[in-house]
Amino acid sequence: MTATGVTGIEWGYARVSTKKQDLHRQVHALTTYGIPDGPTGDDQRLYVDKLTGKHFNRQGWLELRPRLRAGDVLNLPELDRLGRTQTEMLHLFNELTAMGVHVNVIGGPIPFDTRNPGPATEMAKALLLFLGQVELIYKQERVASARESGKTAHRPRKLTARLEEDLAGEFMTGTPVDELVTKYGVSRATVYRIAREHQVKNNARRAITPAGRGKSLTPGQIGTAHRLKADGLSLRRIAEAVGSSRATVHRALTIGHTATVAADLAIVIASHGQANQHRLGCPGCGSVPNGKVAAARLREELQTDWWSTSDQNPDRIQVTQHCGRCQPHTVYAVACLACGDGPLLTGQLAELARDTEPQQLPDVVTGELTRAGWRWTQTSHATGWVCCQPAAPAEEGR
């Protein structure tokens, strides 16, 4: 199983996107290849995750990543099990290569092993990264198309709009959550989600308590609590007056105060004009995120600099940022040997860089790297550009 000259440890990594999906096929492929599915701890050689591949903030990968050393082999059932975003995967490959860690894809449409370097291996790696990025872009376009046509690209809601209105109305009038769960056949979390949506829509006044956090106050009790608070009574006296706990009373009063602050904040934001309502957007295509998750992903994508030649002056570098939808396809990664970070060359610069050795990058690129503080370094393990001080050597012990 181990290639000639490789004396490191064979590791295995498998991943599915959701907790409901099964890892058995991937784990079976890795164990059949020779990766032991043993105990956790220092003897663990196979790591798994049940989380999206859009980022690397996954528990299994975060546990495996610090254990990789020069000469080790990372075995994957398929390349997209490690990640789906082309930009991040390029940085990761450069980082693993600089560390001396090999990647072996044992399955999928095009298996390859970086222990056998050559044009075929590089072509297979580039093709799989490209196909993964294309699939991700097509998925985003399908979601956007479904939203534009008024459809949903996600799991359909269990209740119709009419039933949700009835549930929210009963909730606002004080019906216990357990009765609503039994009557409508939904979970407590669904009841609170529907109630929150209709509370924002209709500016309802009932305090919404998360599941398992005690009972809510009725509108009458909330009104009494506010009046007693205005009269200067302590929280303990107010709780005794409305017949509830101090925590429930405090939560109800805080929610009302938070709603007032949110309304004032909305007025302040509106006063700055509509042009400032969506500050975050892709400078390449102008797309705007439609939620917190999409905004976080866009911020992460915009941290990468894309270098190309200026149309007005071919001797100057033009730096741009792109989201996952408008990223160029002709790319050459310039990665720091120490941290793995660096710009991505596109267009004519990428084509020129592919035909030369790293130390013979186009003059306009090497000049910009030098001005930015990069330097060419030769060590006993690797040769290339570094943008920062090399990381301290890892301990020999595992």
Side-chain angles (χ1 to χ4, degrees):
M1 178 180 65
T2 303
T4 303
V6 176
T7 59
I9 295 178
E10 300 267 356
W11 304 92
Y13 180 77
R15 180 190 64 83
V16 291
S17 299
T18 65
K19 293 183 179 180
K20 294 183 179 180
Q21 292 178 300
D22 190 9
L23 282 163
H24 175 74
R25 179 183 62 84
Q26 298 182 42
V27 172
H28 177 70
L30 290 171
T31 53
T32 302
Y33 186 75
I35 308 300
D37 186 14
T40 59
D42 294 339
D43 297 330
Q44 184 176 357
R45 294 293 177 265
L46 197 156
Y47 292 81
V48 299
D49 275 312
K50 288 191 174 184
L51 199 62
T52 176
K54 293 185 294 185
H55 54 76
F56 293 103
N57 188 21
R58 308 187 293 265
Q59 181 178 356
W61 173 249
L62 293 178
E63 293 177 358
L64 170 60
R65 171 63 183 82
R67 303 190 66 183
L68 297 175
R69 299 290 187 271
D72 289 356
V73 181
L74 177 60
N75 297 279
L76 305 170
E78 297 175 7
L79 182 60
D80 61 357
R81 297 303 88 196
L82 186 57
R84 300 292 296 275
T85 305
Q86 184 182 21
T87 304
E88 295 180 349
M89 289 293 291
L90 284 172
H91 285 305
L92 179 60
F93 265 110
N94 290 325
E95 180 183 353
L96 294 178
T97 301
M99 294 170 54
V101 176
H102 303 281
V103 178
N104 180 26
V105 180
I106 63 176
I110 311 177
F112 70 89
D113 190 344
T114 59
R115 289 173 292 183
N116 303 315
T121 299
E122 294 299 320
M123 182 179 299
K125 180 177 67 174
L127 180 59
L128 289 175
L129 290 174
F130 171 74
L131 293 177
Q133 183 68 21
V134 169
E135 182 181 352
L136 182 61
I137 293 174
Y138 284 165
K139 179 180 178 181
Q140 294 172 345
E141 291 179 350
R142 288 195 297 268
V143 172
S145 177
R147 288 173 177 168
E148 291 177 359
S149 60
K151 300 178 181 179
T152 176
H154 306 286
R155 184 174 58 185
R157 301 172 79 97
K158 190 170 184 178
L159 300 180
T160 63
R162 179 63 182 274
L163 289 177
E164 288 190 0
E165 291 181 1
D166 294 342
L167 185 152
E170 294 183 33
F171 180 90
M172 297 305 173
T173 57
T175 304
V177 175
D178 291 336
E179 293 184 11
L180 297 176
V181 169
T182 303
K183 179 177 179 180
Y184 290 94
V186 296
S187 64
R188 294 175 63 90
T190 301
V191 172
Y192 287 116
R193 176 181 56 79
I194 295 174
R196 288 190 181 94
E197 293 174 355
H198 284 262
Q199 184 188 45
V200 174
K201 178 180 178 181
N202 303 319
N203 195 23
R205 292 295 183 182
R206 180 184 175 187
I208 299 178
T209 307
R213 292 288 301 275
K215 297 181 179 180
S216 302
L217 299 182
T218 64
Q221 290 175 315
I222 295 177
T224 301
H226 279 287
R227 288 193 298 270
L228 296 177
K229 181 182 179 182
D231 293 338
L233 270 69
S234 65
L235 188 62
R236 181 179 62 82
R237 296 289 299 277
I238 297 175
E240 293 175 354
V242 299
S244 184
S245 66
R246 284 180 287 180
T248 301
V249 172
H250 174 72
R251 186 163 53 246
L253 296 174
T254 303
I255 290 176
H257 175 70
T258 303
T260 303
V261 173
D264 295 340
L265 181 60
I267 296 175
V268 173
I269 294 176
S271 65
H272 286 275
Q274 186 175 1
N276 292 329
Q277 289 183 4
H278 299 294
R279 290 188 173 183
L280 181 63
C282 175
C285 63
S287 62
V288 177
N290 58 359
K292 293 182 178 179
V293 176
R297 180 172 64 250
L298 178 59
R299 290 191 185 94
E300 185 175 357
E301 292 170 346
L302 296 183
Q303 291 178 0
T304 300
D305 289 337
W306 298 75
W307 287 12
S308 60
T309 54
S310 175
D311 296 334
Q312 292 77 15
N313 188 354
D315 295 330
R316 297 195 59 180
I317 292 291
Q318 180 178 355
V319 181
T320 58
Q321 286 78 34
H322 298 275
C323 66
R325 292 185 178 183
C326 64
Q327 290 177 356
H329 296 299
T330 304
V331 179
Y332 182 88
V334 179
C336 171
L337 290 179
C339 66
D341 198 5
L344 298 179
L345 308 184
T346 65
Q348 185 179 5
L349 287 181
E351 295 175 358
L352 292 174
R354 288 176 177 175
D355 297 333
T356 62
E357 294 296 329
Q359 64 266 34
Q360 298 174 348
L361 289 172
D363 293 340
V364 63
V365 176
T366 56
E368 189 68 23
L369 291 175
T370 303
R371 282 191 294 271
W374 289 58
R375 64 184 184 279
W376 181 257
T377 301
Q378 292 182 337
T379 66
S380 58
H381 301 288
T383 302
W385 291 93
V386 292
C387 68
C388 54
Q389 294 295 332
E395 296 180 3
E396 293 296 328
R398 296 181 183 273

